[in-house]
């Protein structure tokens, strides 16, 4: 771990932690100045050493915990506090949920000046081994062997990891093996990252490489996959250059949604929900809020490979799925056909940040919307929302942009924020996924 140097002339001091910010970092004040302290919890008294100073705030590291919070627990991962993949392992799981729910409510009020009529119970699931999609960084420093893992907290360096308990165990327990593999390659620095994509049956690794791999390197990678039961893929450039490193044909990646009698196939590089246990519960809640009825016209914006679209169609509604990634649009169309839902669905590839929503929905009678936008939110889309839309379910990965958009929906378009709640898609991180219902 690379340790930032302390601020010259500023000795360590004792600090009372008052709250957690949106990244799960402890916040206190010293002589009126805000101090951010990673690894500290509200109610704690800590001895800190500042290492980054700005006119508005300082960042400091914990030297000693003088008074511990009741919710503090010992992290299960030996790399917690160094690796930037998790930021809340030191906080008890129930307290993590409470913090995320509180953060969502604070953002809704502070940024959107709205409050939900009902707070939905949090959706939670397994805390370990849940992560089935990830991007691992690879570095080969001159001073030591290869490093594979997530980046250090607030740094560009790759954390020196031996395992990762939040990753699918088929990969998380193979970090040391991956490091040894990279070190054996003839051109180890040509591989900057490894994409992880897992289904229930298959764990796939995509090795991004900047130079052509030699035959002996491909042999090592192929043998690694055989030894550990992993699919190995190579990617020399864009997604179209993805290549399976045999033998034979790869077993397909897919996930099932038994409640809706659906099987959705996907490719290693496309977006899927990270947490396989949480995803079906999120779908169930979103559909309960949307309340799709047979014959209704519903649009699913940023629909991906049909994760929400196909369950909505299974309920009898006519669904138009809009997605900006042509690969996902093709997958969604294929998934609809494979599940006998082609007549209930239509998928269009359209960039909703560039095209008017009215133009995209032209020719369709749409009464309800489901929106699952990127972190930037959906403000430009909402500005073109027609008066016929009377029910909108918003799945968000960023409380700040949800709050901003909620303010516009309520104060400008006359919607009512009926309910909202969190979805703990990423346990032990500060990431807050949420779902909200808006009604005219």
């Amino acid at each position: 771990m690379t340790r930032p140097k302390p601020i010259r002339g500023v000795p360590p001091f004792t600090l009372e932690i008052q709250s957690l910010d949106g990244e799960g970092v402890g916040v206190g004040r010293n002589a009126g100045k805000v101090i951010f302290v990673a690894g500290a919890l509200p109610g704690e008294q800590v001895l800190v050493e500042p290492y980054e100073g700005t006119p508005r705030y300082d960042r400091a590291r914990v030297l000693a915990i003088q008074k511990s919070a009741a919710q503090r627990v010992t992290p299960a991962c030996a790399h917690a506090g160094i690796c930037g993949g998790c930021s809340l392992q030191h906080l008890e799981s129930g307290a993590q949920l409470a913090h995320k729910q509180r953060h969502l409510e604070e953002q809704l009020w502070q940024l959107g000046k709205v409050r939900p009529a009902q707070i939905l119970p949090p959706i939670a699931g397994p805390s370990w081994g849940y992560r089935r999609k990830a991007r691992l960084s690879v570095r080969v420093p001159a001073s030591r062997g290869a490093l594979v893992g997530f980046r250090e907290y607030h740094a560009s360096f790759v954390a020196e990891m031996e395992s990762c308990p939040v990753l699918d165990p088929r990969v998380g327990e193979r970090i040391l093996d991956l490091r040894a593999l990279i070190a054996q390659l003839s051109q180890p620095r040509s591989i900057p990252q490894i994409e992880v994509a897992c289904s229930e049956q298959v764990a796939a690794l995509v090795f991004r490489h900047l130079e052509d791999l030699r035959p002996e390197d491909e042999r090592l990678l192929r043998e690694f996959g055989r030894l550990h039961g992993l699919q190995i893929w190579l990617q020399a450039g864009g997604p179209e250059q993805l290549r399976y490193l045999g033998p034979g044909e790869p077993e397909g990646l897919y996930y099932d949604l038994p409640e809706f009698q659906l099987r959705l196939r996907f490719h290693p590089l496309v977006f899927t929900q990270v947490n396989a246990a949480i995803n079906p519960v999120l779908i169930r809640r979103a559909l309960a809020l949307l309340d799709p009825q047979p014959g209704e016209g519903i649009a699913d914006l940023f629909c991906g490979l049909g994760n929400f679209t196909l369950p909505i169609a299974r309920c009898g509604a006519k669904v138009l799925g809009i997605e900006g990634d042509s690969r996902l649009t093709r997958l969604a169309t294929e998934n609809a056909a494979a599940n006998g839902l082609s007549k209930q669905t239509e998928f269009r590839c359209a960039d909703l940040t560039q095209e008017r929503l009215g133009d995209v929905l032209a020719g369709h009678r749409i009464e309800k919307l489901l929106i699952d936008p990127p972190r930037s939110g959906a403000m430009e889309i909402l500005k073109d929302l027609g008066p016929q839309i009377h029910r909108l379910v918003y799945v968000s990965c960023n409380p700040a942009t949800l709050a901003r958009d909620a303010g516009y929906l309520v104060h400008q378009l006359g919607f009512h924020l009926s309910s909202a709640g969190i979805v703990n898609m990423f346990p032990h991180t500060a990431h807050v996924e949420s779902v909200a219902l808006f009604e005219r």
Side-chain angles (χ1 to χ4, degrees), residues 13-15 44-48 62 64-68:
F13 56 87
T14 295
L15 184 71
E44 291 189 328
Q45 182 175 293
V46 291
L47 180 66
V48 301
V62 176
I65 299 174
Q66 298 171 333
K67 176 187 172 186
S68 193

Side-chain angles (χ1 to χ4, degrees), residues 351-393:
D351 184 351
L352 290 169
T353 65
Q354 302 295 323
E355 300 185 46
R356 292 184 64 251
L357 181 62
D359 295 337
V360 174
L361 301 184
H364 290 77
R365 177 180 56 85
I366 302 298
E367 306 161 60
K368 298 177 180 178
L369 284 184
L370 188 144
I371 306 180
D372 186 6
R375 289 187 62 80
S376 55
M379 179 59 77
E380 294 307 312
I381 295 166
L382 300 180
K383 289 179 179 178
D384 198 33
L385 208 62
Q388 78 279 8
I389 304 297
H390 63 86
R391 197 175 190 91
L392 186 154
V393 171

Side-chain angles (χ1 to χ4, degrees), residues 85-284:
C86 296
S87 59
L88 288 174
Q89 282 198 26
H90 57 294
L91 181 61
E92 185 269 328
S93 293
Q96 290 185 31
L97 291 177
H99 161 67
K100 294 181 180 186
Q101 183 68 55
R102 185 165 55 250
H103 181 65
L104 172 63
E105 294 178 51
E106 288 172 351
Q107 293 288 286
L108 287 170
W109 179 246
Q110 292 171 6
L111 300 180
K113 293 297 182 283
V114 293
R115 288 193 174 99
Q118 177 190 8
I119 299 297
L120 299 169
I123 293 175
S127 295
W128 306 104
Y130 68 83
R131 187 161 184 172
R132 293 195 171 180
K133 287 281 286 185
R135 176 175 294 170
L136 302 177
S137 295
V138 179
R139 291 293 182 273
V140 186
S143 59
R144 56 187 186 273
L147 299 177
V148 176
F150 298 110
R151 297 185 185 277
E152 293 180 359
Y153 173 75
H154 265 252
S156 60
F157 304 100
V158 178
E160 189 164 358
M161 301 167 59
E162 297 182 357
S163 63
C164 178
V166 299
L167 274 178
D168 185 300
R170 291 170 290 182
V171 180
E173 295 175 0
R174 294 281 175 263
I175 299 297
L176 278 179
D177 297 319
L178 282 167
R179 291 172 59 178
L181 170 67
I182 296 295
Q184 290 179 64
L185 300 179
S186 60
Q187 299 163 295
R189 289 187 175 85
S190 71
I191 297 182
Q193 65 191 38
I194 302 170
E195 296 275 352
V196 178
C198 300
S199 68
E200 192 69 38
Q201 300 76 20
V202 177
L205 299 179
V206 181
F207 289 79
R208 177 86 167 88
H209 57 100
L210 305 178
E211 302 175 26
D212 290 341
L213 296 180
R214 297 174 181 175
E216 58 266 31
D217 290 336
E218 292 197 7
R219 181 187 59 78
L220 284 170
L221 290 166
R222 192 180 292 112
E223 179 61 21
F224 183 86
R226 186 198 64 77
L227 181 64
H228 298 295
L230 300 167
Q231 267 190 16
I232 304 296
W233 298 73
L234 302 179
Q235 185 192 2
E240 69 284 352
Q241 292 186 273
L242 185 66
R243 176 167 68 94
Y244 175 60
L245 198 60
E249 291 297 316
E251 182 180 351
L253 294 164
Y254 63 85
Y255 61 91
D256 291 326
L257 299 173
E259 184 175 344
F260 301 98
Q261 300 87 49
L262 292 170
R263 171 166 290 182
L264 281 74
R265 296 193 176 275
F266 62 97
H267 301 318
L269 292 182
V270 301
F271 172 82
T272 57
Q273 294 288 3
V274 163
N275 194 318
I278 290 293
N279 185 49
V281 188
L282 170 60
I283 294 170
R284 187 183 310 134

